[in-house]
Amino acid sequence: ATSTNTTTLLPIYFQKNRFIFSMSLYPTIFFVALGLLTTLYTLYDLLIGNATQFGDASKKCPYVWHGGSPTHKGSCWCGEKDKYCLCTPSLAIDAIIEFKNHKDDISIEKVVDDDVFILLVQRRDPPKNIFAIPGGFVNIGESAETAVLREVKEETNLTLSLSDLEQFHLYSNPNRDARRHTVSIVFRCLYHPPPSVNHQQFGNMLTNLHTGDDAKEIKVLRLKEVLSLPLAFDHKDVITDYIHRFHPSLLQSS
C-alpha cells in the first residue's frame, strides 16, 4: 500500500511544482512583453511617426514647437503652403544702444569717443543677474528691425525709430548660447535726443528709464568701462568687435 501511495503521489508532486514554477514566470513574461511593446512603439514613433510628422501634412500647418520639437533642437515649424517641416537655429536680435554726451553746441556725431555711453540690462532670466546687451527673440511674422524696436521698448521703455538702427554684425557660433543654438543679428542703435531736450533733461531721461519684460536693472555706462564687467553669452566679444569698428581709439588708450 505504501509503495502504491508513493508512486501515485510523485506525479502529483511534480505537477504541483511545475504549476507553481509556471505561475512564478508570469510577471516576468508580462514585463518583458511590455518592454518589447514599448520599444516597438518608440521605434515606430521615431522612424515612421517622425517621418510622417516632418515629411507631410499629417498635422494641420502651420504648427510650432517652442524651444524645440520632441525629437529636434531649435525652432521647429511646418509651412502651410509647401507642407514642409523644418528645424532651424533660433533667431535673436541684440541692440547696442549708443548715447552721446548731449552737447547743445555741437553735432552728436562729433563728440569724442570718451563721451560714448551704451545701455546694458541685468538679466532676470538665465543666465540670471548678469549684464547683457538688450535683445530677445524674433517672433514669427516679425522683421528683425521690428523686433529691435519691440524688445528695446519692453526691456527699457526707450522708444527707438527705424532710422536709429544700423545692422552691425551677425553672430552664429552654435555654442554662443548654452540654452540652444541661437543666431543673433546685432544692431547699432544711435539714440538722438530730441532737439528740444537740453543736457539736464537728457540726463534725467536716462535716469528715469525703467525695466520691463526679463530685464531686472538698467545701467548706462561709458563704452570703455563695459569690457571690465562680466557679460552674458558672447556679448564681451560683441562689444570688443563694436569698439574695433566704431571707436578704435578706446582700445588704443586702454
Side-chain angles (χ1 to χ4, degrees):
T2 303
S3 176
T4 303
N5 289 339
T6 303
T7 304
T8 306
L9 289 173
L10 281 174
I12 297 174
Y13 172 82
F14 285 114
Q15 287 175 6
K16 284 183 177 180
N17 279 273
R18 185 170 59 189
F19 174 75
I20 294 170
F21 179 73
S22 299
M23 287 292 290
S24 68
L25 285 177
Y26 287 167
T28 302
I29 294 171
F30 171 79
F31 285 112
V32 169
L34 182 62
L36 287 172
L37 287 173
T38 303
T39 302
L40 289 172
Y41 177 80
T42 302
L43 289 173
Y44 171 83
D45 185 59
L46 288 174
L47 298 176
I48 307 300
N50 188 53
T52 302
Q53 189 179 64
F54 285 86
D56 63 26
S58 61
K59 289 187 176 184
K60 185 179 179 181
C61 293
Y63 50 93
V64 182
W65 295 276
H66 295 290
S69 79
T71 55
H72 291 68
K73 294 180 179 179
S75 300
C76 305
W77 62 287
C78 292
E80 188 170 13
K81 294 183 178 179
D82 59 4
K83 310 301 181 185
Y84 184 72
C85 301
L86 185 68
C87 291
T88 65
S90 299
L91 179 62
I93 53 85
D94 289 300
I96 300 178
I97 305 171
E98 181 177 320
F99 305 94
K100 298 289 181 71
N101 195 4
H102 189 283
K103 303 289 180 72
D104 296 328
D105 55 339
I106 58 176
S107 166
I108 195 172
E109 295 297 336
K110 294 180 181 178
V111 181
V112 296
D113 286 340
D114 281 353
D115 290 317
V116 176
F117 295 78
I118 68 167
L119 186 149
L120 297 178
V121 295
Q122 188 178 31
R123 293 181 55 81
R124 194 185 304 274
D125 295 335
K128 292 182 179 180
N129 302 320
I130 299 179
F131 280 97
I133 303 165
F137 292 100
V138 180
N139 292 331
I140 297 294
E142 181 181 48
S143 71
E145 290 78 7
T146 303
V148 172
L149 303 184
R150 174 181 56 77
E151 284 288 347
V152 169
K153 182 66 175 177
E154 289 175 358
E155 293 191 356
T156 70
N157 198 39
L158 189 66
T159 301
L160 297 176
S161 63
L162 288 174
S163 60
D164 297 325
L165 309 184
E166 175 187 348
Q167 193 174 133
F168 164 52
H169 197 70
L170 184 143
Y171 291 85
S172 60
N173 188 325
N175 300 317
R176 62 182 300 273
D177 186 337
R179 299 169 301 174
R180 63 179 67 84
H181 184 182
T182 301
V183 174
S184 182
I185 306 172
V186 179
F187 285 82
R188 184 191 194 199
C189 308
L190 291 176
Y191 183 77
H192 296 260
S196 59
V197 175
N198 61 34
H199 179 76
Q200 183 176 357
Q201 290 171 330
F202 181 57
N204 291 337
M205 183 197 70
L206 296 182
T207 304
N208 292 328
L209 290 174
H210 63 79
T211 60
D213 197 28
D214 61 350
K216 186 177 180 180
E217 184 185 347
I218 293 176
K219 278 190 181 294
V220 178
L221 298 170
R222 288 184 184 274
L223 181 56
K224 65 181 181 180
E225 298 171 351
V226 171
L227 293 180
S228 64
L229 296 175
L231 299 177
F233 313 118
D234 59 349
H235 287 186
K236 186 163 289 192
D237 293 334
V238 173
I239 295 296
T240 301
D241 293 343
Y242 184 85
I243 293 175
H244 271 288
R245 171 84 174 271
F246 298 106
H247 305 285
S249 65
L250 292 179
L251 295 172
Q252 296 168 4
S253 62
S254 59

